[in-house]
Amino acid sequence: MAITLTDAAADRVKTFIDNRGKGIGLRLAVRTTGCSGMAYVIEFADELAENDQVFEDNDVTVVIDPKSLVYLDGTELDFGKEGLNEGFKFNNPNVKDECGCGESFTV
């Protein structure tokens, strides 16, 4: 099981954490929502819960709860800019379908 970050994503996360002044890394999760069933959640990780899974990639700590890991295993987190828009993109090999707006997915 693994989660990876592109260089662009890792650089952006490091900048966010440095600007924030605290945090051990990035917490990724999924929640039930949207028209396709699940949506990604990105938060700062300030501490670890008992069952959290921890991954290190590109000098960034990524924390995932066991329930979310089933849906995120093998995912690569990327960061990109298109015109005035910028954001993180999940390259998740487990996704079977996404909604038209790109906010939710199914596995």
Side-chain angles (χ1 to χ4, degrees):
M1 294 188 166
I3 304 296
T4 59
L5 287 83
T6 63
D7 291 341
D11 290 344
R12 193 64 174 165
V13 170
K14 290 176 201 174
T15 299
F16 279 142
I17 291 173
D18 287 346
N19 289 342
R20 188 171 181 252
K22 66 177 182 173
I24 61 169
L26 191 67
R27 179 176 294 279
L28 303 180
V30 295
R31 62 182 164 95
T32 304
T33 189
C35 46
S36 289
M38 295 182 186
Y40 297 109
V41 177
I42 301 177
E43 301 174 327
F44 291 109
D46 291 329
E47 57 188 38
L48 296 176
E50 184 176 331
N51 294 321
D52 281 341
Q53 299 294 309
V54 179
F55 300 91
E56 296 282 337
D57 191 46
N58 275 337
D59 297 322
V60 173
T61 300
V62 179
V63 180
I64 302 177
D65 67 89
K67 290 180 183 175
S68 295
L69 184 57
V70 172
Y71 304 107
L72 295 173
D73 184 32
T75 297
E76 175 190 64
L77 186 64
D78 192 10
F79 181 83
K81 294 182 180 182
E82 291 183 29
L84 297 175
N85 297 318
E86 65 178 36
F88 289 101
K89 180 179 184 215
F90 288 80
N91 298 316
N92 185 343
N94 305 302
V95 170
K96 301 291 185 240
D97 196 18
E98 294 178 313
C99 68
C101 64
E103 292 294 319
S104 61
F105 65 96
T106 59
V107 292

